[in-house]
Amino acid sequence: MNEIDRVIQLLSRLPGLGPRSARRAALYMVTRRESLMTPLAQSLKDASEAIAICGVCGNLDTRDPCSICADSTRDRSTICVVEQVGDLWALERTASFKGRYHVLGGVLSAIDGIGPEDLNIGSLVERCGGGSVTEIILATNLTVEGQTTAHYITERLAETGVKVTRLAHGVPVGGELDYLDDGTLSAALQARQALG
Amino acid sequence: MNEIDRVIQLLSRLPGLGPRSARRAALYMVTRRESLMTPLAQSLKDASEAIAICGVCGNLDTRDPCSICADSTRDRSTICVVEQVGDLWALERTASFKGRYHVLGGVLSAIDGIGPEDLNIGSLVERCGGGSVTEIILATNLTVEGQTTAHYITERLAETGVKVTRLAHGVPVGGELDYLDDGTLSAALQARQALG
């Protein structure tokens, strides 16, 4: 296999890229060697060498502790618990949360044989034991596994006396009722809020 | 800008990837550092260093002359003329052409100020002058610029006495007449073929 085929093969493993679009991307780069291909190779190498898992929250960053944990302006009393680093990034993009995070690294799953000891739950309980944390926001996905995990964490944290909350369920902003599933609609109905 | 943001920025410049899918691809790589990110960085570097433009046909390959020009089993008497390297790759994937290629590197365009001297037309005329070439297949795109370029090349090659052909126009395999444009349909009608 020559060097170009190897690039195509690796690119096609990225999410959202199949063999056809990987070939197109490779061809695009091949004709832009100086401006795109070489810089991308270098930046991937740099990132690959720099990336570290934050020892406090499990975030992936180019420093440890990560830039969120190291940021002294962020609220230490609130921790938002997410399944994966991607969820943390999604929440950060909203710029509406000023506390800290805790990345579980997955969800409890009997089928996949993932138990509490496989997730970063112990370290979360430890962080809550220090006395500075007053609220845990559970932001696991609304899947069966995500909710099971949220339930399990709630029980584990009961003894620490920390307040546990979860994200609101309801109609997405811009969503149309007609296209919403029954579960979301009934959740939105139950959690209705007073106006004015 | 940190190393991960730099990767996302460069990935988002690839065709078919926007900022959102570039972020997704970067996140996917970040969690597969050993198996994907480092190998991709290395293969991009290797390819970037190895790629050369074939001095004969203008193909991009990891050697010069390219593997097609260097392949002595391929027919020397037929040259297929294409606009871009991507067109050459597309024809090679069909595995139905056993001659050689010539990459123009673009098309004549008065608007973009691209004249014959900006394309690899002179070297094509030279290749036809050697006496071993008997047929030129014009495989430029069916755009105004592509057809103009094909017309220009036909005139330039008139003095060499080499036979000039072009790809057939017609109904695409698997195509439905109802959805075809008028131009293709009338071209297919004019070029109708006898059965049996």
Side-chain angles (χ1 to χ4, degrees):
Chain A
M1 187 189 301
N2 77 22
E3 288 86 345
I4 302 175
D5 290 336
R6 172 89 178 130
V7 167
I8 295 173
Q9 188 210 36
L10 288 167
L11 280 178
S12 68
R13 286 174 49 198
L14 294 178
L17 284 175
R20 205 186 176 89
S21 44
R23 204 160 45 218
R24 210 165 127 238
L27 184 66
Y28 188 87
M29 280 195 281
V30 156
T31 55
R32 283 159 189 82
R33 203 165 17 149
E34 294 302 315
S35 67
L36 185 56
M37 199 171 200
T38 312
L40 182 58
Q42 188 59 44
S43 74
L44 280 170
K45 184 163 173 283
D46 292 346
S48 174
E49 284 166 0
I51 287 166
I53 298 172
C54 175
V56 179
C57 72
N59 185 15
L60 286 166
D61 201 349
T62 49
R63 47 196 282 196
D64 177 19
C66 73
S67 46
I68 295 174
C69 287
D71 184 350
S72 60
T73 65
R74 295 189 72 123
D75 183 10
R76 286 184 181 278
S77 66
T78 314
I79 293 177
C80 182
V81 178
V82 294
E83 290 179 15
Q84 302 288 0
V85 175
D87 304 325
L88 186 160
W89 291 12
L91 283 162
E92 274 301 285
R93 283 199 296 280
T94 67
S96 59
F97 179 64
K98 290 296 163 209
R100 283 140 198 266
Y101 293 93
H102 196 86
V103 181
L104 295 174
V107 278
L108 296 175
S109 167
I111 293 174
D112 299 329
I114 297 171
E117 67 286 349
D118 299 313
L119 305 177
N120 299 326
I121 294 180
S123 55
L124 175 65
V125 178
E126 261 176 52
R127 285 178 81 183
C128 293
S132 60
V133 177
T134 55
E135 181 179 356
I136 294 290
I137 304 172
L138 295 175
T140 54
N141 289 327
L142 283 189
T143 55
V144 174
E145 290 88 355
Q147 295 304 87
T148 308
T149 310
H151 195 78
Y152 176 82
I153 291 173
T154 310
E155 286 188 351
R156 281 286 294 272
L157 293 178
E159 62 197 62
T160 64
V162 173
K163 185 169 104 182
V164 179
T165 57
R166 61 162 200 187
L167 294 185
H169 305 163
V171 184
V173 175
E176 294 183 48
L177 295 196
D178 200 12
Y179 295 97
L180 269 184
D181 63 293
D182 298 349
T184 305
L185 210 47
S186 64
L189 202 58
Q190 279 170 29
R192 63 190 178 277
Q193 295 172 324
L195 280 175
Chain B
M1 190 189 299
N2 78 20
E3 288 86 345
I4 302 174
D5 290 336
R6 173 92 178 127
V7 167
I8 296 173
Q9 190 209 34
L10 288 168
L11 280 178
S12 67
R13 287 175 48 197
L14 294 177
L17 283 174
R20 206 186 175 89
S21 43
R23 205 161 41 217
R24 208 165 127 238
L27 185 65
Y28 187 87
M29 281 195 280
V30 156
T31 54
R32 285 158 187 83
R33 204 166 16 152
E34 294 302 316
S35 67
L36 185 56
M37 198 171 202
T38 312
L40 182 59
Q42 188 60 44
S43 75
L44 280 170
K45 185 163 174 282
D46 293 346
S48 174
E49 284 165 1
I51 287 165
I53 297 172
C54 175
V56 180
C57 73
N59 186 15
L60 286 166
D61 201 350
T62 50
R63 46 196 282 197
D64 176 21
C66 74
S67 47
I68 295 174
C69 287
D71 184 350
S72 60
T73 66
R74 297 188 72 124
D75 182 10
R76 284 184 182 281
S77 66
T78 315
I79 293 178
C80 182
V81 178
V82 295
E83 291 179 16
Q84 301 288 359
V85 175
D87 305 325
L88 187 160
W89 290 13
L91 283 163
E92 274 302 283
R93 285 199 296 278
T94 68
S96 58
F97 178 65
K98 290 296 163 209
R100 282 140 199 267
Y101 294 93
H102 196 85
V103 181
L104 295 175
V107 278
L108 296 175
S109 169
I111 293 174
D112 298 330
I114 297 172
E117 66 285 350
D118 299 314
L119 305 177
N120 300 325
I121 294 179
S123 55
L124 175 66
V125 178
E126 261 176 52
R127 286 177 79 182
C128 293
S132 61
V133 177
T134 56
E135 181 179 356
I136 294 290
I137 304 172
L138 295 176
T140 53
N141 289 326
L142 283 188
T143 55
V144 173
E145 288 89 355
Q147 295 305 88
T148 307
T149 310
H151 195 78
Y152 176 82
I153 292 173
T154 310
E155 286 188 350
R156 280 286 295 271
L157 293 178
E159 62 197 61
T160 65
V162 173
K163 186 169 104 183
V164 179
T165 57
R166 61 160 201 187
L167 294 186
H169 305 164
V171 183
V173 175
E176 295 183 48
L177 296 195
D178 199 12
Y179 294 97
L180 270 185
D181 62 293
D182 298 349
T184 305
L185 210 49
S186 65
L189 203 57
Q190 279 169 29
R192 64 189 177 279
Q193 295 173 321
L195 279 175

